[in-house]
Amino acid sequence: PLFKDVSKLWFELQDEAELLNILNNITVSLKPFLVSQAKMFSEAYLDTLLEGEEVKTDIQRIAASSGEQIELTLLRTQTWIMPHTTDSLNELPLQYNGFCGYMIVNRDGLLLPGNPFIGVLKHKERFYAFSSKEAALTFASCPDDFVTEVAEKSKCFPELFQLLKLHQQLSCEHPSSETEPGQGLWPMPITKQEIGIQTDTHPIDTYIDKSYEWNEWELRRKAIKLANLRNTVTHSVQTNMSHMRRDHASQTWLPKDAACQNKRDNGSNIPKPQTYLAGLRGQRNAHMLKTNLTRPVDE
């Protein structure tokens, strides 16, 4: 099992490396377009198009519209979720990935993030957020028409289809078996892929009971033998096979260091014999004289 987990992590690491390589290639391919766009639309040219208008960020736009809230008395036929009625307003699964559906239809696919604090519309178990109070009221007057127009608008802008997560909505409302050629919502094609499954050879650990006996007569024989052993006297015997299976301990007396004296050692130093020879280097006819220089023993 550990090797299977390691192999699974290794394949996932390869997929991540391949994905990073694809993203890197896309980034390298888009760099020339970024440079060409900067040359075509310079900052001075964009300032002339704006004509002194201030470009607001999404944070500034949401902060400006946070003071506007839906008055429930205006539309009693729809269900609205207000900020003071729930604590998990930001955790709701908003449709169109949180963008305003009214702006997508009326502004030719313009993507403006919705502000949930204005009010979240609940229609057919789906939640919709809007960028302004007017957009919310207009969308709530005929929500089904706007949902259909958003789907039609995504035909002209295919990049919005995956961004707005329309495949989850369209596949549930209009399956391929019920879709007619004249309908505006088209079904998503069914994607197929090959998947390999590896099953374990032994999903459950095997256990073999060596003492299992299926023969009834053999069980009776063992029972009689066991009953006979209980009525007999047993003796312990130590053999060559069993003498190492039991711990033995013995106590011994260590040898003691002892010494005794039975006689007295004595010794004497005798003189070293010394002899002196004279006349070895004299005349040719001279006589050699030998002198004993050994000292007497009694000295």
Side-chain angles (χ1 to χ4, degrees):
L2 296 178
F3 286 105
K4 293 180 181 178
D5 295 339
V6 171
S7 63
K8 182 179 178 181
L9 293 175
W10 173 251
F11 285 123
E12 291 179 355
L13 180 61
Q14 288 182 339
D15 295 339
E16 291 291 338
E18 184 177 359
L19 179 59
L20 291 176
N21 188 18
I22 294 173
L23 295 177
N24 187 23
N25 294 335
I26 293 174
T27 305
V28 173
S29 302
L30 292 178
K31 283 183 177 180
F33 296 96
L34 183 62
V35 176
S36 62
Q37 183 181 7
K39 293 180 179 179
M40 294 174 58
F41 302 101
S42 61
E43 295 183 0
Y45 178 72
L46 294 177
D47 292 337
T48 57
L49 294 178
L50 292 175
E51 296 180 354
E53 294 291 336
E54 182 183 0
V55 180
K56 297 182 179 180
T57 62
D58 294 338
I59 299 176
Q60 294 175 353
R61 192 179 296 106
I62 292 175
S65 61
S66 297
E68 304 177 359
Q69 291 188 359
I70 297 297
E71 297 178 4
L72 301 180
T73 58
L74 298 178
L75 294 175
R76 296 182 180 274
T77 59
Q78 301 292 343
T79 303
W80 293 88
I81 299 176
M82 305 306 295
H84 61 272
T85 59
T86 179
D87 296 333
S88 59
L89 189 63
N90 295 326
E91 298 179 0
L92 292 176
L94 301 177
Q95 294 297 315
Y96 308 135
N97 204 8
F99 292 102
C100 180
Y102 175 81
M103 290 295 177
I104 295 174
V105 175
N106 291 347
R107 296 294 183 88
D108 198 14
L110 178 62
L111 299 179
L112 287 181
N115 188 2
F117 293 96
I118 296 176
V120 177
L121 174 64
K122 182 179 181 183
H123 178 68
K124 294 182 179 180
E125 301 301 327
R126 292 188 175 94
F127 303 94
Y128 300 90
F130 308 98
S131 59
S132 63
K133 180 179 178 180
E134 292 76 9
L137 295 176
T138 308
F139 189 96
S141 60
C142 50
D144 295 330
D145 297 339
F146 276 96
V147 170
T148 305
E149 291 181 6
V150 170
E152 291 293 337
K153 187 66 66 175
S154 62
K155 289 183 179 180
C156 302
F157 303 97
E159 65 275 5
L160 299 180
F161 190 80
Q162 188 69 23
L163 178 62
L164 302 180
K165 299 180 180 179
L166 296 177
H167 59 276
Q168 299 178 359
Q169 177 180 345
L170 301 181
S171 60
C172 297
E173 291 185 352
H174 298 271
S176 58
S177 60
E178 301 178 359
T179 305
E180 297 179 0
Q183 290 183 350
L185 303 181
W186 71 98
M188 284 294 294
I190 301 175
T191 58
K192 298 181 180 180
Q193 59 182 354
E194 297 181 358
I195 299 177
I197 300 176
Q198 182 180 1
T199 58
D200 296 334
T201 306
H202 300 288
I204 301 176
D205 296 338
T206 58
Y207 174 73
I208 299 176
D209 189 3
K210 296 182 180 180
S211 62
Y212 174 76
E213 185 62 49
W214 62 271
N215 192 354
E216 182 180 357
W217 295 101
E218 182 65 21
L219 294 175
R220 294 184 63 181
R221 188 185 69 82
K222 291 181 179 180
I224 293 173
K225 183 178 179 181
L226 182 61
N228 187 23
L229 288 176
R230 291 181 177 179
N231 296 327
T232 57
V233 179
T234 58
H235 298 277
S236 60
V237 179
Q238 184 176 359
T239 61
N240 292 330
M241 298 297 294
S242 64
H243 74 285
M244 295 296 292
R245 297 183 181 180
R246 189 172 63 183
D247 297 335
H248 295 275
S250 60
Q251 183 178 4
T252 58
W253 297 94
L254 298 177
K256 297 174 64 177
D257 296 334
C260 60
Q261 184 178 3
N262 51 9
K263 64 179 181 178
R264 182 176 182 182
D265 296 335
N266 196 1
S268 58
N269 189 8
I270 60 176
K272 184 177 180 180
Q274 294 180 357
T275 303
Y276 178 76
L277 299 177
L280 292 178
R281 294 182 181 181
Q283 298 177 359
R284 180 180 299 179
N285 296 325
H287 297 281
M288 182 182 63
L289 179 62
K290 180 180 180 180
T291 305
N292 186 11
L293 299 177
T294 303
R295 298 180 67 83
V297 179
D298 52 354
E299 289 185 357

